[in-house]
Amino acid sequence: MTSTIRTFFILVAALALTGCAVPTVTEPETVAVRATSLNPAYSSINAQVLSDAGRVDSTFVASVDPKALTGTLTRLQSTYSQKLGDENLRVGDAVSSIGMWGTSVRYGGMQFGTRSETRDDVINSSRMATAGLAVLPTVADALFASVSDAGTGLNQRSLAVNRSLPSGSQAWNLAVKDALGHSESISAPMITRTRLAEEGCSDFSVSFGKVREDYALTSNSYGPTFANTTVACGAPLGFTIEGHGEYLADEVTAFGVGVARQLGSLGTASLAFAQSNAVSGGTGWMSKVGFDHTNSIFSLMVRSRFQSREFRDIASTALTDPIMQRDLASVGVQVAEGASLSVAYATQTTWARERTNLISVKQSLGLGRGTMSMSAGHSLEDNFGSSLFISYKRPFGVIRHTRPVLDEIEEFQLQLPQQGSD
């Protein structure tokens, strides 16, 4: 009981200090407190102060259980953000933005630009505790880590990935267990669409600060200096030219360019090339090619990555067995009205010749007022099995008719049943 009272007063004090950080404005501020997770062992609390001048946002995790390992109160992130015309200014804790390639990390510092969101395939969970540098993995990283024994970036950050049966209309299930043993359900595409820029260079993001360390394990641990810049320009003849660079003090510097173009009704093609200079690995190179096509009955997305043994980005500075080649593909077909079929394939080869192949098939069929779905996943490796899941969904009440497009078959996605925090 004493621990509960102490936690309550700490939260009230933190909220009061947060409110003091807002500049004086002519209209009253709005204060909002929200609990995204609430249980005796692990509770997440978010406090916001909103006004015309900007927004102050703070998130904490707390435990009212004296035996819990997380302590009484841990600060996750505190941020002041303000919109300046078309640009956004963020001071405090943020997540870096990336383009056709690169690494998203949590850091404390400054972020300015029009591109403030992470890429859709980046696993951006605000409550996931990680050891070491707070690097955010992609869905593809997590997928391959689920069938890898050791040596991946997730293992080094005390993250474990368990794959279970597919759920509902999704093709794969991944449960990521963080450094504190809490499980997090993931829902994100394995492949994201190529982002085309409008004419000019108004699509950009500049980040600078220090990388978070031991995120959600300690409140105020910051590591080496970090910088990240992404600029995408709409060029003549319909080309999008993108430049991306990232820097981690005493570790690695990487810079690259990407080119993308819409090829009429054929689809969108993209090509990226990057070079890195790492303290531990020397100079290396990486290239990525991609293609997207979508019409009313067919969808295709392909990504291929090739790199030298010496190439490093921030996510792979400590890897002993880096990627040599990674291929991702997703194909979807609208077979008939209310019926679709999709196939996803992922393969990866490392420089130690460790090869991983994964395949998933999903079929959906309208049946009465509901939808019947069948999902199957299989690893082509000898040490991993297969999975099959069949489900039926039927709405109750008034049905809102929506266009049965390729939303579920355009991209390879991961979805988990909601799990507890323990």
Side-chain angles (χ1 to χ4, degrees), residues 200-388:
C201 297
S202 59
D203 188 357
F204 71 97
S205 176
V206 178
S207 303
F208 178 80
K210 288 185 174 293
V211 175
R212 294 287 299 268
E213 289 185 331
D214 297 331
Y215 176 78
L217 299 175
T218 59
S219 296
N220 302 295
S221 180
Y222 293 87
T225 300
F226 158 81
N228 174 298
T229 300
T230 304
V231 180
C233 300
L237 302 179
F239 285 95
T240 291
I241 300 177
E242 179 187 276
H244 174 77
E246 52 189 52
Y247 166 80
L248 186 65
D250 301 323
E251 289 288 349
V252 64
T253 301
F255 176 78
V257 295
V259 178
R261 190 179 190 277
Q262 177 76 34
L263 305 176
S265 59
L266 185 62
T268 302
S270 61
L271 172 66
F273 181 85
Q275 182 172 323
S276 70
N277 187 3
V279 173
S280 59
T283 301
W285 60 268
M286 182 275 299
S287 64
K288 292 185 70 174
V289 294
F291 180 77
D292 304 339
H293 172 82
T294 300
N295 58 40
S296 58
I297 61 173
F298 178 77
S299 173
L300 171 67
M301 302 182 72
V302 178
R303 297 290 185 273
S304 291
R305 170 176 174 170
F306 311 88
Q307 68 180 60
S308 67
R309 184 191 295 269
E310 297 78 17
F311 179 81
R312 296 291 187 274
D313 54 17
I314 296 178
S316 60
T317 53
L319 290 185
T320 57
D321 185 19
I323 297 170
M324 181 172 68
Q325 181 176 346
R326 175 184 285 183
D327 300 308
L328 311 173
S330 177
V331 180
V333 180
Q334 195 75 27
V335 180
E337 183 69 23
S340 63
L341 175 67
S342 62
V343 179
Y345 177 72
T347 179
Q348 175 177 284
T349 304
T350 67
W351 277 96
R353 303 300 177 178
E354 179 182 339
R355 185 175 178 85
T356 305
N357 296 278
L358 302 168
I359 189 169
S360 171
V361 179
K362 179 228 163 183
Q363 184 176 21
S364 295
L365 175 66
L367 190 62
R369 298 182 62 186
T371 302
M372 177 76 74
S373 297
M374 184 278 291
S375 300
H378 178 66
S379 171
L380 302 182
E381 311 308 314
D382 294 336
N383 60 346
F384 204 81
S386 304
S387 60
L388 175 66

Side-chain angles (χ1 to χ4, degrees), residues 23-335:
T24 303
V25 293
T26 56
E27 295 185 6
E29 298 87 356
T30 300
V31 179
V33 178
R34 178 169 57 98
T36 57
S37 175
L38 192 60
N39 62 65
Y42 192 73
S43 300
S44 177
I45 300 171
N46 175 261
Q48 298 179 352
V49 179
L50 311 175
S51 72
D52 291 341
R55 164 176 169 170
V56 175
D57 197 310
S58 294
T59 306
F60 311 87
V61 288
S63 173
V64 295
D65 184 358
K67 298 180 181 179
L69 298 177
T70 56
T72 303
L73 182 69
T74 303
R75 185 186 67 86
L76 297 183
Q77 55 188 13
S78 302
T79 305
Y80 170 76
S81 57
Q82 184 173 355
K83 190 169 183 62
L84 304 172
D86 294 331
E87 291 80 27
N88 296 297
L89 173 64
R90 192 181 184 100
V91 179
D93 296 303
V95 174
S96 62
S97 176
I98 56 177
M100 299 181 190
W101 68 277
T103 305
S104 284
V105 302
R106 296 189 182 278
Y107 69 99
M110 179 275 297
Q111 183 180 71
F112 179 73
T114 56
R115 179 183 293 206
S116 57
E117 309 88 5
T118 59
R119 207 169 59 192
D120 290 342
D121 63 329
V122 174
I123 299 176
N124 183 11
S125 170
S126 62
R127 292 189 298 149
M128 188 180 297
T130 57
L133 295 180
V135 175
L136 301 182
T138 64
V139 170
D141 294 334
L143 181 63
F144 288 114
S146 69
V147 294
S148 178
D149 295 330
T152 67
L154 274 72
N155 300 138
Q156 295 171 356
R157 294 190 289 276
S158 300
L159 297 176
V161 183
N162 301 315
R163 196 178 68 183
S164 59
L165 288 172
S167 173
S169 62
Q170 307 300 338
W172 292 91
N173 284 332
L174 290 183
V176 181
K177 183 177 291 186
D178 67 8
L180 293 174
H182 303 133
S183 294
E184 187 81 8
S185 60
I186 305 301
S187 177
M190 187 186 72
I191 306 176
T192 59
R193 294 200 170 280
T194 301
R195 181 167 176 167
L196 299 177
E198 298 181 356
E199 186 175 353
C201 297
S202 59
D203 188 357
F204 71 97
S205 176
V206 178
S207 303
F208 178 80
K210 288 185 174 293
V211 175
R212 294 287 299 268
E213 289 185 331
D214 297 331
Y215 176 78
L217 299 175
T218 59
S219 296
N220 302 295
S221 180
Y222 293 87
T225 300
F226 158 81
N228 174 298
T229 300
T230 304
V231 180
C233 300
L237 302 179
F239 285 95
T240 291
I241 300 177
E242 179 187 276
H244 174 77
E246 52 189 52
Y247 166 80
L248 186 65
D250 301 323
E251 289 288 349
V252 64
T253 301
F255 176 78
V257 295
V259 178
R261 190 179 190 277
Q262 177 76 34
L263 305 176
S265 59
L266 185 62
T268 302
S270 61
L271 172 66
F273 181 85
Q275 182 172 323
S276 70
N277 187 3
V279 173
S280 59
T283 301
W285 60 268
M286 182 275 299
S287 64
K288 292 185 70 174
V289 294
F291 180 77
D292 304 339
H293 172 82
T294 300
N295 58 40
S296 58
I297 61 173
F298 178 77
S299 173
L300 171 67
M301 302 182 72
V302 178
R303 297 290 185 273
S304 291
R305 170 176 174 170
F306 311 88
Q307 68 180 60
S308 67
R309 184 191 295 269
E310 297 78 17
F311 179 81
R312 296 291 187 274
D313 54 17
I314 296 178
S316 60
T317 53
L319 290 185
T320 57
D321 185 19
I323 297 170
M324 181 172 68
Q325 181 176 346
R326 175 184 285 183
D327 300 308
L328 311 173
S330 177
V331 180
V333 180
Q334 195 75 27
V335 180

Side-chain angles (χ1 to χ4, degrees), residues 337 368-370 395 397-405:
E337 183 69 23
R369 298 182 62 186
V398 179
I399 299 179
R400 297 181 179 273
H401 293 281
T402 57
R403 177 173 169 257
V405 251

